[in-house]
Structure formats: C-alpha cells, structure tokens
Amino acid sequence: AQSVTQLDSHVSVSEGTPVLLRCNYSSSYSPSLFWYVQHPNKGLQLLLKYTSAATLVKGINGFEAEFKKSETSFHLTKPSAHMSDAAEYFCVPGAGGTSYGKLTFGQGTILTVHP
Amino acid sequence: DGGITQSPKYLFRKEGQNVTLSCEQNLNHDAMYWYRQDPGQGLRLIYYSQIVNDFQKGDIAEGYSVSREKKESFPLTVTSAQKNPTAFYLCASARDYNQPQHFGDGTRLSIL
C-alpha cells in the first residue's frame, strides 16, 4: 500500500520568494501521486498529478513537482510565492493497490505568505 | 461548466434530528465519495460508491448513511446516532478509482 509523509506542518515564506513543500512517499511499486490545495472554507482543488508519464510535473498556478525515485520524494515547488497561495496543501497517494477508490489524506502543510 | 455542487453551504442540526447533505455532479463520473474534515485534521473517508446502487463504508461510517440511486447524486444523511457531527463535509467524484478526485465546496454542519 502507498503512504506519504508531509515533512512540514507549517511553512512560512515572504511574497516573491520560492516555495518548497516536502512530501516523501512509501510504496512497493511505482505510485500515482497528487497534490491538492485547500483554501479556507473551500473544497480541495487538484494542483497536479504524477502518473509515471514524466518525472517533472507542471500544475496550475505556477506550481510544479518532481518525482525522485532515488529519494522517494515528490516535493511541490513554486519559484515566487503570491499572497493568494496561502492555503493548506495535501500530498495524496493514488488509490491504486489500496482499498478500492480509497484515498488517504494526511495532516497537510499550511502555507503562510507574508507581504 | 461541469462540477460538483454541495448544498446547503451551512446546516444546523438539532439534537435527535437527522439531516441530509446533498451532493450532485455533472461530470459523468462513476465514483463518488464523502469525507469529513475536522479543524487541524486531514480528511477522513465516510462512504464511497463506485457505481449506482452500490456503496462501501469508509473509515468512519458509524452514524452516517448514504444512497446512490442515480449516477449524478450521492446524498449523505447524518443520523442522530452520530454524537459529534459538527464538521466540514466534503463530497468528491472521480472517473474511476485510480483517477484524481474532484471536490465540491463543502457543507459546514453545526449543532444547535
């Protein structure tokens, strides 16, 4: 079964500086991985997905993530933070190989962006 | 535009009352899911359904019930047996179990 660990519960950056949200995965086979974002009192929005087609995945709003098998990581990055990026971010393994359709969400990483 | 609609946005429940949260999708997705989110916690799966007329319990199904009579609709009933129903409820759908899930904007349920 797949599982992920988000290494930081909170990340704080200044507007215009780079963003790095860390996610390590554990899987006995090539996983599918997703990054979601949740703004306050809203549902989750898919930022990007990795499904083994390419190791560098570009998502919406300037985010991207690189799948590194040697490091078992799938970190989310953005070159320059914007105030509107302040939200909670979830790294989620795909459901394949687990209970049918069941995604497992961890605690998430809260991103704060300072002016 | 295709999407998932949850209603109402805010809901209040009296003691001993059952309430039903609506979830409708026009994405033609087979799979639908209900999650509960508590402050500072991730999402926990209540129920999921892969096809019409079939659904499975998730991790915290006690005190909840669902139905899936139509592909587009997956209503969740919070029964009086759920003693701590105050939470943010999210509905999601996916083309199939291995595809990313699309989420509605949630319903916030509170106790009167």
Side-chain angles (χ1 to χ4, degrees):
Chain A
Q2 300 182 54
S3 66
V4 296
T5 301
Q6 289 185 245
L7 300 175
D8 307 290
S9 58
H10 290 83
V11 170
S12 181
V13 301
S14 297
E15 190 175 20
T17 64
V19 175
L20 170 64
L21 304 182
R22 300 183 294 166
C23 173
N24 285 353
Y25 72 90
S26 172
S27 173
S28 58
Y29 58 93
S30 184
S32 58
L33 291 162
F34 312 127
W35 273 102
Y36 285 91
V37 60
Q38 184 180 29
H39 289 90
N41 295 310
K42 289 289 190 179
L44 278 72
Q45 182 183 19
L46 181 68
L47 276 177
L48 50 82
K49 62 180 179 180
Y50 169 76
T51 54
S52 74
T55 56
L56 183 61
V57 183
K58 293 189 182 298
I60 61 172
N61 300 335
F63 284 94
E64 65 181 35
E66 185 172 5
F67 179 78
K68 292 187 176 180
K69 191 172 183 178
S70 60
E71 299 175 11
T72 62
S73 69
F74 189 57
H75 301 336
L76 182 70
T77 60
K78 183 173 181 177
S80 176
H82 192 272
M83 295 297 291
S84 61
D85 295 328
E88 188 164 16
Y89 292 79
F90 295 94
C91 179
V92 184
T98 67
S99 298
Y100 200 69
K102 177 181 170 181
L103 293 183
T104 301
F105 286 83
Q107 296 291 327
T109 299
I110 295 174
L111 175 65
T112 302
V113 182
H114 298 287
Chain B
D1 288 340
I4 299 177
T5 301
Q6 289 187 242
S7 61
K9 191 170 179 65
Y10 299 95
L11 186 58
F12 298 91
R13 194 191 88 169
K14 295 180 182 179
E15 293 289 339
Q17 185 182 43
N18 293 353
V19 292
T20 297
L21 285 61
S22 172
C23 178
E24 303 278 333
Q25 55 100 356
N26 60 4
L27 298 166
N28 200 33
H29 285 169
D30 285 317
M32 296 188 75
Y33 309 83
W34 274 106
Y35 294 92
R36 170 181 171 138
Q37 187 176 32
D38 294 281
Q41 299 190 29
L43 279 65
R44 293 183 290 169
L45 182 65
I46 305 173
Y47 268 98
Y48 62 100
S49 168
Q50 299 300 318
I51 56 173
V52 175
N53 293 322
D54 183 60
F55 47 83
Q56 306 295 328
K57 291 182 179 180
D59 297 320
I60 55 166
E62 186 174 351
Y64 300 97
S65 66
V66 293
S67 63
R68 187 86 187 274
E69 298 176 0
K70 299 186 300 181
K71 188 175 185 178
E72 303 79 21
S73 179
F74 192 41
L76 173 74
T77 297
V78 183
T79 74
S80 57
Q82 173 50 247
K83 298 306 180 187
N84 184 24
T86 298
F88 190 49
Y89 291 86
L90 289 163
C91 178
S93 72
R95 196 182 333 143
D96 60 56
Y97 73 95
N98 206 29
Q99 297 300 315
Q101 293 178 14
H102 297 254
F103 286 79
D105 276 344
T107 293
R108 189 165 296 281
L109 176 61
S110 303
I111 295 294
L112 280 179

